[in-house]
Amino acid sequence: MTDSTDSPLIRVPEMGRAPLGSDAEIRLAGLWETEPGWRGRLSTVDHKTIGLRYLVTAFLFLLLGGVEALIMRLQLAQPDQTLLTPEQYNQLFTMHGVTMIFLYALPVLSGFSNYLWPLMLGSRDMAFPRLNALSYWLFLFSGLFLYASFPIGEAPNGGWFNYVPMTDRLYDTGPNIDVYALGMVLLGISTTVGSINFIVTLFRLRAPGMSIDRVPILVWGTLTASVANVFAVPVVSLAFFMLWLDRQFGTHFFDVVNGGKPMLWQHLFWMFGHPWVYVVVLPAMGIVSDALPTFCRRPLVGYAPVALSAMATMLLGFGVWIHHMFATGLPTLALSFFGATSMVISIPSAVAVFAWIATIWLGRPVFNTPFLFFAGFVLLFVIGGLSGVMTAAVPLDFQLNETYFVVAHLHYVLLGINVFPVVGGIYYWFPKFFGRMFNETLGKWSFWVMFIGFNAGFFPMHIAGLLGMPRRIYTYAPNMGWNTVNLITTAGSFVFALGLLLFLINVLVSLRRGAPAAENPWQAPTLEWAVPSPPPAYNFAVIPIVASRHPLWEDWLDEGYGRSSLETGYLLMEGRETLGTTPLDARPDVILKMPEDSYAPFFLGLFSSLIFAGLLLQAWDFAVLMIMASGLSLIAWLWPSKALAQRVSAVKPDKGVAHV
Ligand code: HEM
Ligand SMILES: [Cu+2]
C-alpha cells in the first residue's frame, strides 16, 4: 500500500462509498452523463462512446476492404478473367491495402484501448478527453477523404507503399496520388494526438496503488505502439507531404531527372512502415495476453518478459526497415546487418508465444468462443512468424520478393495477429460493452468457419508464390500451373468472409436478444470487470485503490499483497474530476479537473479536414478560409471555463483522510 504522508494533494479528497442509487452516485451521473440527442452525439468526450465509435467505424472499413478483396479474388479465381480492367485492379488492391492497414488495423485497436484503458486503470476518462474526440473525428474524416475519389474511378492506385517514380506527376497524372498523400497527412494528425493521449494517460491516470508493474498487458502493447507512432508517423507524413509538393509545385525531392532520390521515398516509407506492422499487432497481442488467462483460470505466465518483449520488438522494429528493400541493390554489409536484425526480432515474439502456450498448458482452459479465437491466434502467429523468418533470409528473399509468398505471409501476420484477436476481444468484452451476452453456439460456428476459411484461403498463396506467381497481377494465363491454387484461395476467402458475417450476425442479434450480463461474467481479474455492464458514464463511483495485478482475483490467488479497495475510495465529485497519480508507483498527486463536453473538437476536425479538401482541389482561398475557421474552433476549445478552475480548499491536508 502507498504511503500518504508525502502526498502533495492540497485539497484532500473525501474517501467514502457511493453505491448505485445513493445521492452521491446520482450526483455523479448528472455530472458525467452526456446530453441525449444529436447535441450530445456531436459534443461528447466520453472515452467509451469514442471507443465504440472507433470500433464500429474501423469495422465498417474492414467490411469495405473485405468486399474489395473478394472482388479481386473473383477476378483471380480463374485465368483470363475480364471482370476488372488492369486500372481497376490497381485501385482495388491499393485501396484494399490502405483501408486495411490504416483505416482498420490501427483504429480498431485504438477503439479497444480508448474504451478499456480508463476502466482498466481505474480512472474516469482519458487524460485529454477533447483531444480524444478530435482524434476520432479526424480519423473518420480522413477515411472519407481517402475514399472521396473512389466513386469517380480515381482512387489511389500506386499500391499501399506508393513507390516513386511511378507515383510522380509524370506517370500518374490524375488526382489519385494526391488524395492518398494528403489523406495520409491528415490521418497522421489523428494518430499522433491519439498516441500522445495514451502516453500521458498511462503515466498519470492510474488508480492509486496501480504501480507500473501492475497494469494489464494491453496497456503495455498500446503504450509501446503509441511511443512508436510518435516517432514513425511524422516520418511518413513528411514523406507524403514532400511527394505532394513534388506533384503540386514541381519540387524535386523524389524526381530523378532533376537530381531527386527515389530511394529516399523507400527509406522514409519503410522507416515508418515496418514499425507500423508492430503498431498494428502489439496491442492485439496485449488483448490476448490479458484475456487468455481469464479462460485458463490462472495468471499469465511471465508477465514481465511479455511486457518487455513488446518493448524489445518495437525497439528492434526500428532497425529492420531495410528488409523491405533487400532487392534494391544495397551494399552487402547492409544486407547482412538488416538480415540479422530481422531474424533477431523473432526472439521477443517467441518469448510471448511461449508465455501463451505455457499459460494454456498450466491452466485449466475453458473452451468457449473467445478462448478459441485466442488459441487460434497463437497457431496462426507461429505460421506467420515462420514465413517471416524465411523472407528475412536475404537469398531466399531475392526469390520470393514480389510473389504471392509475401501476400500469404502478410495476411497470416495481419489477419492472424490482428483480426483473430480483435474478433476474440470483441466477444470477450461484448458483455461489458453492451450489458448482454452473445450467442455461444453461433460464436463457435463463427470461429471454425473463419479459421478453416482463412487457412484454406491463404495457405495456398504460399504455394502460388513458390510456383512463381507475382503479386499485384490482375490476371494470368491458363498454362502457368496456378489455376488450382487460385481457385482454392478464392473459395477459402469466401468461406472466411462467411465466418466474419456469422460473427456480425451474432453481434447484431445479441445486442437485442442476448441474456443480460452480470458485472463479471467470465470471472476475469482486471478492474473493468468491477463496474456494472455497461459501465456508467462516470466509470467508477469512487476511484478504487489497487493492491495487486489481479484486483478481482485476490481472494483465491492470495498473493500476499493485501486486498484492493473497490467499494470504498476517493469520492471526487466537485465537478468532473478524476485522480492524477505519480508516474511510476501511482501515489495520489493531483485532482484533475476534466473538461465538459464540447463541439469544438468536432468543428476543429471538420474544418481542418476541409483545409485538406481545399489543398486537393487547389481552392487556395477556401483553404485559407478553413484555416481561419480552424483557428476560431481552437479558440473556442481553449476558452477558459470556470469548471476547470480548482478551488483550493481551506482545509489543511489531513493525513488520516488521505490514507490509502
Ligand atoms: C477477406 C479477407 C482478405 C482477403 C480475401 C484479402 C485478399 C487480398 C488480395 C487478393 C490482395 C491482392 C494481392 C495482389 O494482387 O498482389 C491483397 C493485398 C493486400 N492485403 Fe488483403 N485480403 C484480406 C484481408 C486483409 C486484411 C485484414 C489486411 C490487413 C489488416 C490485408 C492487407 C493487405 C495488404 C497490405 C495488401 C497489399 C496491397 C498492396 O499490394 O499494395 N488484407 N489482399
Ligand atoms: Cu518489415
Side-chain angles (χ1 to χ4, degrees):
M1 287 266 181
T2 39
D3 185 359
S4 63
T5 42
D6 51 356
S7 160
L9 287 173
I10 303 243
R11 189 190 107 209
V12 177
E14 227 180 301
M15 299 275 285
R17 300 160 61 89
L20 223 56
S22 63
D23 287 350
E25 192 269 344
I26 291 168
R27 169 133 179 254
L28 258 183
L31 283 170
W32 285 87
E33 259 161 27
T34 292
E35 223 180 312
W38 64 269
R39 287 157 155 272
R41 266 180 235 133
L42 285 189
S43 64
T44 186
V45 294
D46 183 335
H47 71 99
K48 298 180 288 298
T49 313
I50 296 172
L52 284 180
R53 281 181 185 166
Y54 258 107
L55 285 173
V56 171
T57 313
F59 244 87
L60 291 176
F61 280 121
L62 174 73
L63 295 184
L64 204 58
V67 170
E68 288 155 9
L70 293 180
I71 298 175
M72 286 191 282
R73 282 321 312 173
L74 280 178
Q75 163 75 13
L76 293 174
Q78 285 175 334
D80 288 337
Q81 298 257 79
T82 52
L83 180 64
L84 297 171
T85 63
E87 173 59 23
Q88 284 170 335
Y89 192 87
N90 285 350
Q91 294 189 16
L92 276 180
F93 80 68
T94 305
M95 285 312 279
H96 166 76
V98 170
T99 307
M100 292 303 196
I101 298 260
F102 297 118
L103 302 177
Y104 158 73
L106 180 69
V108 84
L109 299 175
S110 303
F112 279 104
S113 297
N114 260 321
Y115 192 102
L116 293 168
W117 269 43
L119 292 165
M120 289 178 152
L121 298 178
S123 167
R124 288 189 177 144
D125 206 324
M126 299 280 288
F128 306 117
R130 289 187 179 176
L131 214 51
N132 209 14
L134 174 69
S135 149
Y136 170 76
W137 292 119
L138 283 175
F139 156 54
L140 176 68
F141 294 137
S142 57
L144 297 176
F145 188 95
L146 283 166
Y147 265 92
S149 61
F150 196 64
I152 55 167
E154 298 284 351
N157 54 0
W160 78 285
F161 40 73
N162 207 48
Y163 282 163
V164 294
M166 278 97 83
T167 52
D168 286 342
R169 161 102 38 232
L170 191 59
Y171 304 104
D172 207 326
T173 50
N176 320 53
I177 303 298
D178 297 316
V179 171
Y180 191 21
L182 291 172
M184 284 299 288
V185 178
L186 185 59
L187 182 64
I189 305 174
S190 158
T191 315
T192 308
V193 296
S195 301
I196 290 172
N197 203 358
F198 283 124
I199 296 172
V200 178
T201 303
L202 170 77
F203 285 114
R204 296 300 267 156
L205 266 69
R206 305 191 314 275
M210 185 176 282
S211 49
I212 197 88
D213 55 345
R214 288 178 179 166
V215 299
I217 303 269
L218 170 62
V219 176
W220 283 119
T222 309
L223 174 76
T224 321
S226 303
V227 173
N229 278 337
V230 172
F231 289 100
V233 171
V235 178
V236 80
S237 297
L238 179 69
F240 273 107
F241 188 64
M242 282 153 67
L243 179 63
W244 181 71
L245 290 178
D246 268 13
R247 294 177 54 88
Q248 193 61 54
F249 299 109
T251 51
H252 307 300
F253 291 111
F254 304 116
D255 140 29
V256 79
V257 182
N258 292 292
K261 300 255 185 311
M263 281 292 281
L264 177 63
W265 174 268
Q266 293 205 21
H267 282 292
L268 289 178
F269 189 88
W270 288 117
M271 261 177 219
F272 151 84
H274 189 86
W276 186 263
V277 174
Y278 296 111
V279 163
V280 304
V281 300
L282 288 174
M285 290 160 69
I287 290 179
V288 177
S289 299
D290 286 336
L292 187 68
T294 299
F295 298 99
C296 296
R297 303 257 152 269
R298 60 150 298 135
L300 179 72
V301 173
Y303 172 91
V306 173
L308 289 175
S309 81
M311 280 174 265
T313 309
M314 204 68 249
L315 274 178
L316 289 170
F318 276 96
V320 299
W321 79 92
I322 298 285
H323 68 207
H324 295 270
M325 306 163 60
F326 279 161
T328 52
L330 292 162
T332 323
L333 190 63
L335 294 188
S336 342
F337 174 79
F338 284 97
T341 38
S342 302
M343 300 227 169
V344 169
I345 202 166
S346 53
I347 296 173
S349 314
V351 170
V353 171
F354 284 125
W356 296 318
I357 294 178
T359 308
I360 299 177
W361 191 262
L362 299 173
R364 290 173 283 124
V366 186
F367 287 85
N368 48 16
T369 305
F371 177 82
L372 291 178
F373 275 92
F374 302 136
F377 147 86
V378 176
L379 203 71
L380 299 177
F381 191 99
V382 173
I383 303 180
L386 285 179
S387 57
V389 174
M390 285 170 75
T391 50
V394 176
L396 194 58
D397 184 71
F398 282 160
Q399 293 301 317
L400 299 174
N401 184 39
E402 298 292 319
T403 70
Y404 258 73
F405 193 90
V406 174
V407 181
H409 161 69
L410 77 91
H411 285 89
Y412 265 87
V413 171
L414 290 169
L415 279 130
I417 315 185
N418 183 295
V419 177
F420 277 82
V422 161
V423 175
I426 291 182
Y427 275 128
Y428 178 60
W429 281 293
F430 188 85
K432 183 55 60 191
F433 292 163
F434 304 113
R436 288 182 184 276
M437 301 303 290
F438 56 84
N439 182 314
E440 180 64 31
T441 319
L442 198 54
K444 289 209 171 87
W445 271 94
S446 68
F447 169 75
W448 286 111
V449 176
M450 274 175 73
F451 191 74
I452 294 170
F454 175 70
N455 285 295
F458 291 88
F459 199 82
M461 283 188 180
H462 291 109
I463 301 168
L466 293 172
L467 291 174
M469 179 165 165
R471 69 189 285 194
R472 296 178 171 176
I473 51 170
Y474 79 103
T475 193
Y476 49 93
N479 58 356
M480 301 298 287
W482 305 334
N483 302 3
T484 322
V485 277
N486 274 297
L487 194 59
I488 300 175
T489 290
T490 298
S493 308
F494 275 85
V495 175
F496 175 79
L498 179 72
L500 207 58
L501 204 63
L502 289 179
F503 159 71
L504 287 175
I505 292 173
N506 197 351
V507 167
L508 294 178
V509 172
S510 308
L511 272 179
R512 288 163 178 265
R513 305 231 191 102
E519 262 171 30
N520 190 1
W522 312 117
Q523 268 99 53
T526 36
L527 275 188
E528 77 272 26
W529 301 102
V531 299
S533 312
Y538 50 80
N539 290 357
F540 294 91
V542 299
I543 304 291
I545 297 155
V546 174
S548 76
R549 201 176 282 156
H550 308 286
L552 309 188
W553 278 1
E554 283 162 3
D555 283 336
W556 65 272
L557 275 183
D558 213 11
E559 292 171 307
Y561 297 117
R563 296 288 182 271
S564 301
S565 168
L566 304 177
E567 310 279 305
T568 307
Y570 291 93
L571 284 167
L572 289 177
M573 44 186 70
E574 292 179 21
R576 288 193 178 183
E577 295 177 331
T578 193
L579 197 63
T581 50
T582 53
L584 295 181
D585 40 11
R587 264 175 295 129
D589 189 13
V590 287
I591 295 170
L592 296 168
K593 292 289 190 174
M594 305 304 275
E596 300 295 317
D597 291 353
S598 159
Y599 296 111
F602 171 78
F603 283 109
L604 181 57
L606 180 67
F607 293 137
S608 38
S609 307
L610 289 174
I611 299 175
F612 283 76
L615 296 182
L616 179 70
L617 301 171
Q618 303 172 359
W620 310 119
D621 297 349
F622 178 75
V624 171
L625 206 64
M626 288 303 117
I627 292 177
M628 279 153 43
S630 302
L632 289 178
S633 318
L634 205 60
I635 293 176
W637 176 320
L638 297 175
W639 203 256
S641 140
K642 216 158 134 204
L644 292 178
Q646 172 69 61
R647 216 154 30 92
V648 178
S649 148
V651 191
K652 290 274 266 197
D654 172 351
K655 284 160 193 158
V657 181
H659 185 76
V660 283

